[in-house]
Amino acid sequence: MTKKFSLTPYLFLTPALVAIAIFVVYPIFAVFYYSFTDYSIVTPPVWIGLKNYSWLIHDTIFWRSLAHSFVYLLVTPILIVLSIILAIVVNRKLPGIQAFRALFFIPVISGSIAVGIAWRLMLDTNGIINAILLSLGILKEPMQWLAEPALTLPFCMALTIWLGVGYYMMIFLAGLQNIPEELYDAAMLDGCNSWQKHWHVSIPGLRPQITFVAVISSLAALQVFNEVFTLTGSLGGILQSGYTVVFYLWQQAFRLSHAGKASAIAMALLVITLAFSITNIRLLERGTETD
Amino acid sequence: MRTKLFTLFLLVSVLISGCVTATTQAPIATAIPPTPQTIVVTSVPQTIVETVISEVLVTPTPLPNPEAVIQSVEPDAVIGFWTFWLSPTFDQYIKDTIARFNEAYPGVTVNWEDHQATFQDDLKASFAAGNAPDVINLSVSEGWVSDYASQGLLMPLDDKVPQSVKDLYFPGLWNEQLINGVNFQFPWYQGINVYLINHQVYDQTGLTIDDFPKNWTDLPALCATIKEKTGTLCDIRLTVNDLISQMVYEGNVKPISEDGTSFTFDSADAVAWLQQYVDMVKAGTVDKTVLVTDQDRVGLDLFTTGKAAFYATGPNLIREVRKNNPGLYGYLGVVPAPVGKSGVIGKGLMGISVNAQTKFPNASLALAQFFTNPKSMLEFSKIVAIYPSTPDSYADPFFSAAPVAIEDSAKPFAEDAVSKYADIVPTIPHKADVNAILLRHVQDALFNNVPAQQALTDAVTEANQLLP
Amino acid sequence: MMNQTIVKDDHSRVVLQKTTQNFFLYIILSCVAIVTVFPFLWVFFTSFKGPTDAVYSVPPQLIPHDPTFENYLRVWELLPVGRFFTNSIFVTLSVVVLNTLFTSLAAYPLAKMKFRGSNTIFYLLLVTYIIPPALTAIPSYILAVRVFHYYDHIQAAILPYLATVFNIFLLRQAYKGVPDDLIDAGRVDGASELRIWWDIVVPIIRPSLATVAIITFVEQWNNFFWPSLVLPTMTNKTLQVGLVALQGAFLNDSRGIAAGVVMTVVPMIIFFLLLQKQFIRGLTGAVKG
């Protein structure tokens, strides 16, 4: 049977490929080019060779932002542990359990901006958090929560965790419900109690979900922006304590009009996320193999 | 069935939202019908007055409008005008003034927009897009005029405006924020720097309103007393977007050398200035979030909640305090702002500039000048406690009337204060970057135990690398 | 007789164990729920506080003594909150519909057809997947402002998201699960590929389509970074961007901010509660066990 040449596959692909070519492929080349220029967007780019990169290497603020972004990765294990525990807890047919599940999902649906604003109001020097702690006697004086450099990143991370738990809990919940009952019964027969049962059956059974969440969450953690912006505004925290790589990129490009430097940062971001992205792809591909 | 309903709901909502979104908000344009003109024709021996347009008006405008001082305004000009944070409170005033503008300059269409918290972002993006407004209200106090002018985005005014017009303004204000000796703004409404006092808190210190420091250098001691006697923190702000300016006014610092080849904001004066703030932070007498916020309203917020003894602002913001905490209004007091070491009490607040790329230069100049002329500013002063930049406005009995409410308390000394405003900050190259560097090192000194001298010297070293 | 008693005792002991266990579970759940819901509660009550109700006070006062709607009216008058909403709905739904359509079209030949260049295209897509979104912001911005001139138009928020590689991969996996014989049967019958796709294959992968739609929906609804760069005019802003503008406009007015936040969050919560099942089912189809 001769294979007829058909336009069909190409036609199917065209809309998506055109969009990707314009909005993903072109930008990578453009950013690569801009990273070798001095460009303020209002005036045309001026070629300056490797100057942006040498600036980047010597820029303590960039390295600090990078360190912060890596520290931010801590949210991933915390999120996974908390979400799994919550999923296990809500994975039972108790009256009202649906309500609890929905409740935990509300932060996800409200959006990081709305929640971030609410948190910022609560953490004000005169806000409700201080008021509660003062009236309980835990604090003698109101603490300026968002003015403590050591607390800025932890608060952003707490916000991320708070926002993500409901989302990942749902994923693990579905995973748990896919684990066959027989495995649990077998574990019970072997003499496992409640916790051992979960350790030996649930966790291994959730492996695909865990890997999926780990990769998604890590990629997101490396590229955090919203949480920093809502909690600290354009200051980025006292002593740049809230600076992440994407925040620094945004500041350089859209506050200081240094698109060239920002492009160099963007290239660095590409390298940083590379390892995680490749893992992500491998996982997606492995999913195909098991089908 | 439920899925079908859901899909239907989705489609309907997309359609509805699409329709709603597609209709863009109509720009506010004011255009008026042509006014009949009268031409005086002189011929020997009689003077005949002829009406050119067929409409006969009972009371025609007999003379050229005295407020129309810019010549050769382009007919059928369409110009964009952006103001900063004036809507909706002053909607009526702006519209009325535009209407009066059209009486003086008929045929010019003005599209007015007000931008608020995102003003700077919006403006920068519009310059990048090539559709920036023709006439722009810019903050002189925040240094925006010099920001945009130094990028060549604003029209220089000195040779475009007749001397008679320039003379309408206080010279100190006309010569503010010069870039290499050239002026780029029409001085608009001014604030009087006052400190609002919350008597409920302040009185607990045992001091009276007359004891309030007259000099800025005495403030830290007051803050210590306030902390001790009332437990509240001082509501003081660093203008984080323009630290150099604050250094100059408060600390009498010279930021750059005469020849412009090297920065000098690590001098003894500068260190003394920074040290005061460092000491206050160490003593725990200031609210740290307010100190380094980039939004003035955060500081105002703290005061409005009744938790601060005083706040540096203008009488025009008293209405904000009143709106949000009416209970506080009765406890308010006003004192003139303490003077910094420089001896100059302040600089201007707002100006109006013209886009260098405008297609209608004369019409834009006319609008900018009209809003800042004595009559327009007098009208503005009557509805809110701001002060004109034109001496003629103060001749009006409005200013000689005795102050009634606390918002008016600056009236008696307003003219004197405004006439003394001067911009004593020299032109700083790469201002935004220098400020970013300075902000970083200042934070190191304030919060990271870096000695003030070292922080400033490091900042100077880094900033000098930006200079050729 | 003895045996029966023992069994009965065991049974009641088990029941007691279970009840205490459940009791503790409810306690834990309630604690977590309180922590989760508290910020919303506080914002909700603050939005109804009148000028005489202290927002900041020690000890804190949660319930307003003098509830009022004026904060909502104030916000509604000052900012086009309704427009923020419709803009977000329009952008989100457009992206969801178009993206799902384009990616489901694109993934099909990659999974089920043999043609020249299929491997190249696949690997190229793989490569583009590693590009982080923030990187594309600057050139996209320049495209919007300088080249295509859709800056400050609602399209600017939609166009960059018309196709995402992640969705293509996800759907390709889904297609691989469709048995080939169904498709071959259609081809033998002489149906066009588009027909086969729409009538036979798409209904089979509906759960995965739902997943893609929901993930895209949540992503777009929450998107702030890009829309904040390209939608300056107040009436064009999407909800998240408008919220930040609200915070800027009302910084000295916590009640106003609270009202604004409630106005934007409550409809979403109601929407979610109504469609809980579909949401969750779609979301969890993301990862197959």
Side-chain angles (χ1 to χ4, degrees), chain B residues 138-333:
Chain B
L138 292 173
S139 167
V140 171
S141 60
E142 296 277 336
W144 295 354
V145 173
S146 74
D147 278 347
Y148 291 101
S150 49
Q151 291 183 62
L153 299 170
L154 300 179
M155 183 194 287
L157 300 177
D158 287 311
D159 49 353
K160 300 273 191 321
V161 170
Q163 188 61 39
S164 55
V165 170
K166 286 193 230 178
D167 289 340
L168 286 173
Y169 305 96
F170 285 112
L173 293 175
W174 181 264
N175 289 317
E176 275 190 305
Q177 296 230 334
L178 302 179
I179 304 290
N180 299 322
V182 181
N183 177 36
F184 290 84
Q185 46 89 33
F186 286 94
W188 199 11
Y189 61 90
Q190 305 302 323
I192 300 288
N193 298 330
V194 296
Y195 274 37
L196 287 179
I197 310 283
N198 175 354
H199 278 288
Q200 270 185 316
V201 178
Y202 183 72
D203 291 350
Q204 290 174 45
T205 63
L207 300 168
T208 69
I209 202 154
D210 292 324
D211 293 329
F212 200 89
K214 306 278 184 303
N215 290 309
W216 193 87
T217 38
D218 298 328
L219 260 184
L222 176 63
C223 287
T225 316
I226 291 177
K227 171 87 190 287
E228 195 196 311
K229 296 269 169 53
T230 72
T232 61
L233 300 173
C234 260
D235 199 0
I236 293 184
R237 237 194 103 213
L238 282 172
T239 48
V240 292
N241 291 323
D242 198 355
L243 286 170
I244 295 200
S245 172
Q246 194 166 10
M247 238 192 223
V248 171
Y249 280 93
E250 281 177 7
N252 201 26
V253 173
K254 199 152 103 65
I256 192 171
S257 62
E258 286 292 341
D259 51 7
T261 54
S262 142
F263 287 106
T264 53
F265 48 78
D266 56 347
S267 60
D269 280 330
V271 175
W273 172 82
L274 183 55
Q275 192 61 44
Q276 289 206 279
Y277 284 100
V278 171
D279 292 338
M280 281 199 283
V281 170
K282 286 231 168 42
T285 54
V286 283
D287 185 315
K288 290 190 265 191
T289 2
V290 170
L291 190 64
V292 288
T293 179
D294 59 343
Q295 297 261 16
D296 177 60
R297 289 176 176 242
V298 170
L300 186 60
D301 186 18
L302 185 61
F303 180 79
T304 311
T305 60
K307 290 287 181 165
F310 65 84
Y311 187 59
T313 181
N316 49 313
L317 287 173
I318 295 184
R319 67 162 197 277
E320 294 282 329
V321 175
R322 185 176 196 174
K323 191 176 66 172
N324 288 294
N325 192 351
L328 181 58
Y329 183 68
Y331 294 100
L332 288 182

Side-chain angles (χ1 to χ4, degrees), chain A residues 235-254:
Chain A
L235 183 70
I238 289 189
L239 294 177
Q240 301 91 45
S241 48
Y243 272 44
T244 57
V245 177
V246 174
F247 184 84
Y248 195 40
L249 194 159
W250 168 80
Q251 198 202 47
Q252 286 294 329
F254 298 103

